[in-house]
Amino acid sequence: MHNLDQCHASLRKGGTATRDGHTGEIRVPLAVFFLDQQQGSLDLVLSGAEAAEFRALIGSLLAGSSAADGALLSERVADANRRSSDGGL
């Protein structure tokens, strides 16, 4: 098994993110790497709420926010997921 600290995922070349019109899920095609060698591919699947929070996180980081701000927003995403799975959203 690979050391996960040396693994990463990148957007899959030629892949296109899609939205399911019935469920609202967003699918983002990713390529999975160990060091610099591709190991496979998978889709990142986000609910509509997760995708909105992720968009806000990326926008915030691109605008110059700190990693601490990103961690706070990530916790908000996790909280939204918990509420969603409990029927709270």
Side-chain angles (χ1 to χ4, degrees):
M1 180 161 192
H2 297 306
N3 179 351
L4 292 181
D5 291 339
Q6 297 174 321
C7 293
H8 71 276
S10 296
L11 295 175
R12 194 179 319 147
K13 289 184 185 202
T16 302
T18 60
R19 179 179 180 274
D20 184 302
H22 291 86
T23 66
E25 285 181 340
I26 305 294
R27 291 183 172 270
V28 181
L30 301 175
V32 180
F33 293 85
F34 174 69
L35 299 176
D36 288 332
Q37 297 200 0
Q38 187 170 348
Q39 301 296 304
S41 59
L42 55 84
D43 287 348
L44 170 63
V45 180
L46 302 166
S47 70
E50 289 171 326
E53 291 283 348
F54 189 67
R55 180 180 182 193
L57 169 63
I58 295 297
S60 177
L61 292 172
L62 286 171
S65 295
S66 70
D69 295 334
L72 179 61
L73 191 51
S74 294
E75 181 52 38
R76 287 179 48 209
V77 171
D79 184 52
N81 289 339
R82 283 189 293 274
R83 287 183 287 133
S84 176
S85 64
D86 292 338
L89 285 179

